């Protein structure tokens, strides 16, 4: 037969076949023809240990329902996942009455007669077999058995046994149904070295900070080889390079095992390629139209990524956010910004196209609050900057959430902007969702410091107090539903100690008369035992304060004090004897504080400057004088190590002066102890006289100046830091700086999670410049506050 005739006959045969004519294969055609006919019976064949009820619990086909081939196939898949069957099939049979009978044909898996593990010396049988989940009587499922091999190897590798090998005894499994996992543990492998090869743009230290894999360090880092973590580290390094313009970067890793198989070196291989740069930026609205609210020039000026800059994905994200923020300040809440880079052929230049969907401007509509069962609405409204009828500022959404969360009254706060209502498309309602927390506490504690001695604390606090919410019954009071809900802060504390005893009670209304002003009052008693005498103070005061913008804070206060000096020995200097009182001091003053710390708990950058002034005598009392001061603290971030631990440099400067009268010795200025390390508490001060003869007892000065610096670096994990410091300054009675003192020293900061973020400070100070009458102190300790 000629070749062309063969081809024609073949084509004709193919065209004449049912498949070619669009018909289904016989079994599929039968299934489709039987679809939607009622199911009259379901027959289960081949079941042994698996009950019929177990099968019916896992299939969706039912007698009396229309037959659906897809449902029958899904039944098979669902039953297969049980792991009890080696094979499953379903057959649909057409009955004489037009109904359909379904036959499920099963071949059950054999059961395991025993499961064990051998060769494991470092890990117990339960630690290995527990996660596997196979035991005597389990189906002999090959997938589950092999999954057990992988799980055991993973468990060993997380413990440092990187070279572990787990096998199955195939003979005993096939002949007796006994599953035996054979483990060859090998030695524990630890990472002793990490290297980077091929990196030119970034040094090893920078790249090390991007990965989680670490080298071995006794007690603190086991440094086990972890394949999954190495894969993540490779991706992290690639993303780090790509985010900074090396888009074509390639990263891989290799592992070198030592001859004794106990140590490993991980080598990250980097092929950087070329860095891409931004060659052009275009801005357009939707569908390529020009933007209406902000011009192209204004949008460009908002971007941190500019023409000529190296490509940075993080700067691109910041640019997009800066544009959205700018629109959000103007009231455009739904602005969408998409910046897309395009390559210029084969060059290393990128064109950046910024597309902006500006959306619609909106005013604040109704502000609703939900979730506050005890706290009054006005307390929460006082914390939000979203006012009905005002133009929306999108920044206030996050700020309001932060203020509510920082109030300490709620465990959860969420501000949601709702979709516009059809009858008011230019307004957006706001829903504030809160979850209240327990705001009261009774605390007991003990502290010790080189300046204050041993000090106990018993305090009762309620941060959601309501002085007007008087209980109607004793049950309401004991259930904690009285004196709560107004957001007032109440504190009552007793602090007994071997050198200091204090009692204090205070009440603060943070939003007095629903304003932004805070009003507080306090009363207290203090007894302080010094080497020369005992001081007793009764005091009460009122303070009015307000947050002024984002970084400024101001307050104005009035204090009334009654002070006496007791237990004066015969050799007490005349200056102290003349001040034994009792004296009544009436003081009015205020302060202005600017704070830009990035964190109030553990700052790494920012500063705090405080200006203060107080006058005693203007409101009456026994004495007249004034005091003014300026305090400055600044933090600089020096470095972050590969564990993201900060190294900081802190600067402190203080200048205080008393003028306009004669202040008593107990109100004068002193340095020493924790305020000037290397010297005794209050040792830096002019000395008193007795009958005209000099003594070595400090009586305080009218001028105090201090300048210091402290370098803090991580030492061990996140729990121990080392510090090196220089303290300098003076206290005297005139405007000069003589005599000037300087000390240097070192110490440690211990961070204990149970004590919060404030570390314990232990310092050794060594005076470099001092006076002969100065008392020195080598060691000092206390809690270390950031300012």
């Amino acid at each position: 037969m000629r070749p062309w005739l063969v081809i024609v006959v073949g084509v004709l045969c193919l065209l004449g076949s049912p498949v070619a004519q669009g018909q289904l294969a016989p079994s599929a055609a039968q299934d489709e023809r039987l679809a939607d006919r009622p199911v009259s019976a379901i027959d289960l064949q081949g079941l042994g240990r698996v009950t019929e009820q177990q099968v019916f619990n896992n299939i969706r086909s039912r007698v009396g329902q229309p037959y659906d081939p897809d449902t029958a196939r899904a039944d098979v898949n669902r039953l297969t996942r049980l792991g009890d069957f080696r094979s499953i099939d379903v057959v649909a049979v057409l009955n004489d009455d037009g109904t359909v009978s379904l036959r499920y044909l099963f071949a059950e898996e054999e059961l395991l007669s025993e499961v064990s593990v051998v060769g494991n010396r470092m890990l117990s049988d339960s630690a290995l077999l527990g996660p596997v989940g196979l035991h005597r009587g389990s189906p002999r499922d090959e997938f589950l058995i092999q999954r057990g091999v992988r799980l055991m190897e993973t468990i060993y590798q997380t413990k440092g046994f990187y070279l572990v090998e787990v096998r199955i005894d195939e003979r005993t499994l096939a002949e007796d149904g006994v599953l035996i996992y054979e483990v060859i543990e090998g030695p524990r492998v630890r990472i002793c070295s990490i290297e980077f090869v091929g990196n030119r743009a970034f040094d090893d230290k920078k790249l090390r900070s991007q990965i989680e894999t670490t080298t071995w360090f006794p007690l603190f880092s086991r440094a086990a080889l972890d394949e999954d973590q190495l894969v993540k580290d490779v991706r992290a390094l690639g993303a780090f390079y790509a985010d900074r313009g090396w888009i074509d970067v390639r990263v891989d890793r290799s592992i070198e095992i030592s001859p004794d198989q106990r140590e490993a070196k991980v080598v990250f291989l980097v092929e950087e390629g070329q860095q891409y740069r931004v060659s052009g930026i275009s801005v357009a609205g939707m569908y390529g139209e020009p933007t209406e609210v902000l011009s192209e020039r204004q949008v460009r000026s908002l971007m941190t990524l500019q023409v000529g800059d190296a490509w940075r994905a993080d700067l691109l994200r910041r640019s997009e956010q800066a544009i959205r923020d700018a629109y959000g300040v103007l009231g455009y809440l739904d602005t969408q910004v998409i910046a897309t880079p395009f390559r210029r052929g084969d060059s290393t230049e990128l064109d950046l196209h910024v597309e902006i969907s500006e959306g619609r401007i909106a005013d604040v509509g109704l502000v609703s609050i939900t979730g506050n069962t005890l706290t009054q609405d006005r307390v929460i409204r006082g914390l939000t900057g979203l006012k009905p009828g005002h133009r929306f500022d999108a920044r206030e959404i996050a700020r309001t959430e932060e203020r509510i969360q920082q109030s300490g009254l709620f465990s959860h706060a969420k501000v949601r902007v709702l979709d516009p209502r059809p009858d008011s498309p230019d307004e957006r309602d706001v829903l504030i969702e809160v979850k209240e927390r327990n705001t009261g506490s009774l605390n007991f504690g003990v502290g010790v410091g080189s300046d204050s001695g041993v000090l106990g604390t018993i305090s009762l606090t309620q941060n959601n107090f309501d002085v007007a919410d008087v209980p109607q019954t004793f049950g309401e009071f004991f259930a904690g539903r009285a004196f709560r809900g107004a957001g007032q802060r109440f504190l009552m504390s007793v602090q007994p100690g071997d050198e200091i005893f204090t009692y204090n009670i205070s009440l603060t209304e943070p939003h007095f008369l629903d304003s932004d002003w805070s009003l507080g009052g306090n009363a207290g008693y203090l007894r302080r035992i010094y080497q020369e005498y005992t001081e007793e103070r009764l005091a009460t005061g009122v303070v009015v304060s307000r947050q002024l913008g984002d970084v400024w804070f101001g307050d104005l206060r009035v204090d009334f004090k009654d002070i006496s000096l007791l237990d004066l020995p015969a050799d007490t200097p005349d200056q102290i004897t003349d001040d034994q009182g009792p004296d009544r001091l009436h003081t009015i003053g205020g302060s202005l504080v600017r704070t830009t710390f990035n964190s109030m708990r553990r700052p790494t950058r920012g500063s705090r400057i405080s200006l203060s002034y107080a006058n005693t005598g203007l409101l009456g009392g026994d004495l007249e004088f004034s005091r003014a001061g300026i305090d400055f603290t600044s933090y600089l971030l020096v470095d972050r190590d590969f564990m993201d631990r900060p190294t900081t440099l802190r600067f402190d400067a203080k200048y205080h002066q008393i003028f306009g009268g004669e202040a008593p010795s107990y109100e004068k200025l002193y340095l020493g102890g924790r305020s000037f390390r290397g010297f005794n508490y209050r040792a830096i001060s002019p000395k008193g006289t007795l009958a005209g003869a000099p003594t070595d007892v400090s009586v305080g000065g009218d001028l105090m100046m201090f300048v210091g610096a402290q370098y803090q670096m991580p030492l061990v994990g996140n729990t121990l830091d080392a510090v090196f410091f220089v303290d300098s300054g003076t206290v005297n009675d005139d405007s000069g700086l003589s005599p000037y003192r300087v000390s240097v020293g070192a110490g440690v900061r211990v961070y204990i999670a149970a004590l919060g973020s404030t570390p314990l400070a232990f310092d050794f100070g060594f005076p470099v410049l001092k006076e002969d009458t100065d008392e020195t102190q080598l060691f000092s300790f206390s809690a270390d506050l950031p300012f």
Side-chain angles (χ1 to χ4, degrees):
M1 185 178 294
R2 297 184 180 182
W4 63 266
L5 185 58
V6 174
I7 297 175
V8 170
V9 172
V11 170
L12 292 175
C13 292
L14 181 61
L15 292 175
S17 69
V19 174
Q21 294 177 0
Q23 300 177 16
L24 299 172
S27 60
Q30 179 184 6
D31 284 345
E32 293 302 326
R33 287 195 301 269
L34 299 181
D36 296 329
R37 294 176 179 269
V39 177
S40 59
I42 297 179
D43 184 25
L44 307 180
Q45 299 180 6
L47 293 180
R49 55 184 171 80
V50 181
T51 66
E52 291 188 353
Q53 186 61 49
Q54 287 177 283
V55 174
F56 282 118
N57 289 340
N58 287 276
I59 65 175
R60 299 293 178 263
S61 298
R62 293 289 185 268
V63 173
Q65 293 182 353
Y67 168 60
D68 184 355
D70 291 335
T71 300
R73 285 189 287 270
D75 290 342
V76 172
N77 293 334
R78 196 177 301 107
L79 291 168
T80 301
R81 287 196 291 268
L82 296 179
D84 292 314
F85 305 103
R86 187 169 61 254
S87 66
I88 306 172
D89 197 6
V90 59
V91 178
V93 179
L94 179 63
N95 300 321
D96 295 338
D97 59 359
T99 63
V100 173
S101 295
L102 295 182
R103 295 176 186 173
Y104 287 83
L105 309 176
F106 298 98
E108 292 184 343
E109 281 280 14
E110 298 180 12
L111 299 182
L112 296 173
S113 59
E114 189 64 57
V115 179
S116 63
V117 57
V118 297
N120 52 315
R121 293 177 292 112
M122 304 304 296
L123 297 177
S124 66
D125 289 4
S126 59
L128 295 172
L129 293 177
V132 171
L134 294 176
H135 50 79
R136 177 189 295 178
S138 295
R140 205 173 97 178
D141 188 306
E142 187 65 25
F143 172 78
L144 296 179
I145 292 173
Q146 293 302 322
R147 189 189 68 171
V149 171
R150 295 190 296 272
L151 281 173
M152 288 186 183
E153 290 179 343
T154 300
I155 293 171
Y156 265 101
Q157 288 170 357
T158 58
K159 302 295 183 181
F161 295 90
Y162 177 73
L163 301 176
V164 66
E165 185 177 354
V166 180
R167 302 172 182 170
I168 300 297
D169 189 333
E170 300 289 353
R171 186 180 62 81
T172 57
L173 180 61
E175 295 178 359
D176 305 321
V178 176
L179 174 60
I180 301 177
Y181 288 99
E182 299 175 341
V183 179
I184 303 175
E185 292 179 332
R188 192 189 299 268
V189 183
R190 61 194 183 195
I191 301 174
C192 293
S193 176
I194 297 176
E195 292 185 4
F196 298 89
V197 176
N199 53 309
R200 300 183 306 275
F202 302 101
D203 59 24
D204 290 4
K205 185 177 181 180
K206 187 65 175 178
L207 296 184
R208 188 184 287 265
S209 67
Q210 306 301 314
I211 64 175
E212 298 293 333
T213 300
T214 60
T215 55
W216 176 78
F217 192 85
L219 300 179
F220 293 97
S221 176
R222 187 170 53 194
L225 269 175
D226 187 337
E227 281 283 359
D228 292 338
Q229 186 57 57
L230 289 176
V231 171
K232 293 178 182 177
D233 289 341
V234 167
R235 287 200 297 263
L237 290 172
F240 175 77
Y241 267 96
D243 283 353
R244 285 152 181 79
W246 281 268
I247 298 176
D248 299 326
V249 66
R250 297 173 62 187
V251 182
D252 203 349
R253 89 283 182 271
S254 66
I255 301 171
E256 300 177 10
I257 307 295
S258 64
D260 63 0
Q261 297 186 334
R262 296 184 180 276
E263 296 180 349
K265 178 171 72 173
V266 176
V267 181
F268 289 97
L269 309 171
V270 181
E271 186 178 324
E272 293 179 338
Q274 297 294 318
Q275 187 182 30
Y276 284 70
R277 293 188 173 274
V278 178
S279 59
I281 298 177
S282 60
V283 179
M286 293 295 292
Y287 310 112
E289 298 293 329
T291 54
E292 297 180 1
V293 179
L294 297 178
S295 67
E296 180 173 350
R297 181 177 179 183
Q298 289 172 316
V299 171
R300 287 171 181 264
S301 67
L302 292 169
M303 299 177 62
T304 52
L305 189 63
Q306 297 290 332
V307 173
D309 291 345
W311 168 255
R312 290 275 300 271
D314 57 338
L315 294 185
L316 179 65
R317 291 189 291 269
R318 285 165 56 184
S319 297
E320 291 176 332
Q321 189 59 50
I323 298 170
R324 281 191 291 266
D325 290 344
Y327 274 93
V329 171
L330 299 175
Y332 291 85
L333 302 183
D334 301 322
T335 299
Q336 297 180 9
V337 180
I338 302 175
T340 307
F342 296 94
R343 296 193 186 191
R344 278 194 179 181
D346 296 331
S347 69
T348 58
E349 294 183 346
L350 295 175
D351 287 335
L352 191 61
H353 178 66
V354 182
E355 186 177 24
I356 302 175
S357 174
E358 295 178 321
R360 188 168 185 165
I361 198 168
D363 293 336
V364 181
L366 298 176
V367 178
S368 303
I369 301 171
T370 183
N372 53 321
T373 57
L374 288 173
T375 307
Q376 301 170 17
D377 278 8
R378 67 176 186 85
V379 175
I380 303 172
R381 294 185 189 278
L383 297 170
T384 176
L386 300 170
K387 307 299 181 183
H390 290 203
R391 182 59 45 83
F392 242 111
D393 183 348
R395 297 173 301 177
E396 273 300 322
I397 299 172
R399 290 175 181 174
T400 295
E401 282 186 1
E402 183 177 4
R403 283 194 292 267
I404 295 175
Q405 199 73 47
Q406 290 181 348
S407 70
L409 306 181
F410 308 98
S411 60
H412 170 78
K414 182 65 177 179
V415 178
R416 302 183 186 275
V417 179
L418 306 181
D419 292 335
R421 288 174 284 143
D423 60 335
S424 184
D426 294 330
E427 288 187 343
R428 302 288 291 274
D429 295 340
V430 177
L431 177 63
I432 302 177
E433 301 171 325
V434 297
K435 184 178 181 181
E436 293 191 301
R437 59 179 298 180
N438 182 18
T439 55
S441 62
L442 178 62
N443 301 313
F444 301 88
V446 177
V448 60
S450 55
D451 293 350
S452 58
V454 180
L455 192 67
T457 299
I458 305 172
S459 64
L460 175 65
T461 61
Q462 176 54 260
N463 292 323
N464 197 9
F465 195 72
D466 186 355
V467 69
D469 184 20
V470 180
Q472 303 298 317
T473 64
F474 284 106
E476 185 181 5
F477 175 78
F478 288 110
R481 302 191 67 83
F483 295 116
R484 288 185 65 187
Q488 299 163 359
R489 293 189 290 270
F490 174 80
L491 169 66
M492 182 169 60
S493 66
V494 179
Q495 292 183 306
D498 62 339
E499 296 182 18
I500 301 175
F501 178 89
T502 64
Y503 173 80
N504 185 64
I505 184 171
S506 66
L507 178 65
T508 302
E509 170 55 74
H511 296 282
F512 183 61
L513 299 178
D514 294 333
S515 70
D516 292 330
W517 292 92
S518 170
L519 175 65
N522 66 280
Y525 168 79
L526 165 70
R527 184 177 73 242
R528 172 86 197 224
I529 301 174
Y530 296 101
Q531 290 182 353
E532 299 80 17
Y533 56 85
T534 298
E535 176 184 327
E536 284 192 349
R537 293 184 179 226
L538 268 174
T540 184
V542 177
V543 58
V544 178
S545 61
R546 179 176 177 176
Q547 186 73 36
L548 306 171
D550 294 332
V551 298
W552 287 95
F553 177 84
D555 65 41
L556 179 67
R557 62 185 310 122
V558 178
D559 294 304
F560 302 92
K561 307 171 189 174
D562 195 329
I563 305 175
S564 300
L565 304 183
L566 309 174
D567 304 327
L568 276 67
D571 59 349
T572 301
D574 296 334
Q575 291 85 347
I576 296 178
T577 302
D578 294 341
D579 297 332
Q580 59 184 324
D583 294 327
R584 292 185 299 274
L585 278 65
H586 301 171
T587 303
I588 181 172
S591 65
L592 190 62
V593 181
R594 182 181 186 272
T595 305
T596 61
F597 289 147
N598 63 329
S599 169
M600 298 302 293
R601 296 178 178 270
R602 194 173 180 180
T604 57
R605 62 179 182 272
S607 63
R608 182 181 189 270
I609 185 169
S610 173
L611 308 173
S612 61
Y613 172 81
N615 175 272
T616 299
L618 183 64
L619 302 179
D622 297 331
L623 300 172
E624 295 183 6
F625 62 92
S626 296
R627 174 174 173 170
I630 179 171
D631 297 79
F632 176 76
T633 299
S634 176
Y635 281 85
L636 298 176
L637 180 63
V638 178
D639 187 29
R640 284 190 182 273
D641 64 8
F642 64 94
M643 295 177 61
D644 201 37
R645 299 176 301 179
T647 295
T648 59
L649 184 61
R650 167 179 167 173
F651 293 98
D652 289 283
K654 301 179 182 180
Y655 183 88
H656 288 242
Q657 186 164 5
I658 296 173
F659 56 92
E662 184 63 29
S665 57
Y666 51 78
E667 290 291 295
K668 282 183 176 284
L669 304 169
Y670 299 85
L671 283 174
R674 292 300 301 169
S675 64
F676 200 126
R677 290 159 289 190
F679 294 85
N680 266 359
Y681 178 62
R682 304 214 312 178
I684 300 178
S685 157
K687 308 304 178 182
T689 59
L690 179 60
T695 69
D696 59 357
V697 178
S698 298
V699 295
D702 292 332
L703 181 145
M704 181 269 287
M705 192 189 77
F706 175 87
V707 177
Q710 178 173 290
Y711 182 84
Q712 181 170 339
M713 59 181 291
L715 195 61
V716 178
N718 292 312
T719 59
L720 188 65
D721 284 7
V723 299
F724 304 92
F725 61 85
V726 177
D727 290 348
S728 69
T730 187
V731 177
N732 54 42
D733 287 324
D734 54 43
S735 59
L737 298 181
S738 180
Y740 201 76
R741 281 88 164 178
V742 178
S743 69
V744 298
V748 295
R749 299 293 179 267
V750 181
Y751 293 86
I752 301 176
L755 301 180
S757 59
T758 301
L760 300 179
F762 303 91
D763 291 328
F764 293 87
F766 305 90
V768 177
L769 291 179
K770 68 182 186 68
E771 292 295 295
D772 294 337
T773 56
D774 292 339
E775 296 182 13
T776 61
Q777 177 179 278
L778 174 65
F779 179 64
S780 65
F781 60 95
S782 72
D784 188 38
L785 299 175
F787 54 87

